[in-house]
Amino acid sequence: QVQLQESGPGLVKPSQTLSLTCTVSGGSISSGSYYWSWIRQPAGKGLEWIGRIYTSGSTNYNPSLKSRVTISVDTSKNQFSLMLTSVTAADTAVYHCARGTVMASMDFWGRGTTVTVSS
Amino acid sequence: DIVMTQSPDSLALSLGERATINCKSSQTVLYSSNNKNYLAWYQQKPGQPPKLLIYWASTRESGVPDRFSGSGSGTDFTLTISGLQAEDVAVYYCQQYYTTPHTFGQGTKVEIK
């Protein structure tokens, strides 16, 4: 059973860069026709898709964040990462990573990590 | 972007009743080449990540109880819970994965009356 675990700083100052890593266990990040996604959820609110990456390196980003987002993958470490630049309080949220398939969308999710943007 | 709109925002039903949640997309999510609707339903309980219930609009994910069913095509979809159980209290989201960005509905909160 594949498992995903988010990690990274829980507090980021305004205008700085948010960096998170998702570690995949129980299977190789390179096996199968999967993509690897980031999704966020402000407290008490709905889900926002941030973007995804295939292990080929191909990416898709939400246009609302595109100028600030980079998703990368490190197959040697079985990890993929999120960078979000120039953060503001509006970026405060629980950030989830997830595995996706073309057929079924996102079938395995990490539990999420809370990131607060505050000085 | 495809806008996903769910209705109602919340509903409260008695145990054993049928719950019906609607989801409408601003454009079709039906892929004509394979006749599949790229529409998923997720269940999220407090403090937990979303759990995939239904994909391709009507295919139950492995291990999901058969009281959960999905229907619809094109732009109009429904999630039905036949015989509401206490453990079904959650927020339910629809999501289109037809095109990026993969957008979600605003969520429907299901409670026990």
Side-chain angles (χ1 to χ4, degrees):
Chain A
Q1 177 100 338
V2 66
Q3 292 184 317
L4 297 93
Q5 177 71 57
E6 306 87 352
S7 59
L11 180 65
V12 181
K13 289 181 167 41
S15 80
Q16 293 193 342
T17 296
L18 179 161
S19 295
L20 297 175
T21 296
C22 182
T23 301
V24 179
S25 58
S28 170
I29 199 170
S30 300
S31 68
S33 301
Y34 302 119
Y35 58 83
W36 305 91
S37 298
W38 289 97
I39 307 94
R40 69 180 183 179
Q41 185 171 32
K45 296 192 176 181
L47 299 160
E48 180 180 27
W49 186 84
I50 298 171
R52 68 176 177 186
I53 188 166
Y54 288 87
T55 49
S56 64
S58 173
T59 55
N60 300 100
Y61 299 130
N62 192 323
S64 68
L65 300 168
K66 187 173 183 178
S67 63
R68 299 194 292 131
V69 172
T70 303
I71 298 175
S72 58
V73 64
D74 187 337
T75 55
S76 67
K77 294 182 179 179
N78 235 34
Q79 295 176 334
F80 63 106
S81 299
L82 169 71
M83 285 181 52
L84 183 65
T85 63
S86 304
V87 297
T88 69
D91 296 309
T92 294
V94 174
Y95 285 76
H96 293 279
C97 58
R99 187 185 82 168
T101 69
V102 171
M103 177 179 76
S105 193
M106 292 171 286
D107 57 356
F108 285 96
W109 292 61
R111 295 198 64 84
T113 188
T114 300
V115 177
T116 302
V117 178
S118 175
S119 55
Chain B
D1 298 4
I2 297 179
V3 177
M4 307 300 290
T5 304
Q6 292 181 227
S7 62
D9 289 334
S10 65
L11 71 164
L13 298 168
S14 299
L15 291 173
E17 284 195 298
R18 172 176 298 212
T20 301
I21 301 169
N22 299 302
C23 174
K24 189 174 184 66
S25 58
S26 61
Q27 60 192 76
T28 188
V29 298
L30 174 63
Y31 193 41
S32 56
S33 65
N34 61 5
N35 203 37
K36 296 292 188 184
N37 288 281
Y38 284 72
L39 189 284
W41 288 97
Y42 294 88
Q43 174 194 65
Q44 188 177 32
K45 298 180 179 180
Q48 296 185 20
K51 173 187 174 183
L52 178 66
L53 297 177
I54 303 279
Y55 61 92
W56 276 344
S58 61
T59 302
R60 259 189 311 275
E61 174 72 333
S62 176
V64 173
D66 60 7
R67 64 179 181 274
F68 292 93
S69 63
S71 63
S73 184
T75 61
D76 292 279
F77 301 91
T78 300
L79 175 69
T80 301
I81 309 173
S82 303
L84 191 66
Q85 304 295 306
E87 61 263 34
D88 301 334
V89 169
V91 178
Y92 293 83
Y93 295 94
C94 61
Q95 182 222 12
Q96 67 80 20
Y97 53 108
Y98 178 84
T99 187
T100 59
H102 292 174
T103 44
F104 293 89
Q106 79 277 18
T108 296
K109 187 174 186 178
V110 174
E111 299 173 301
I112 302 296
K113 193 187 297 183

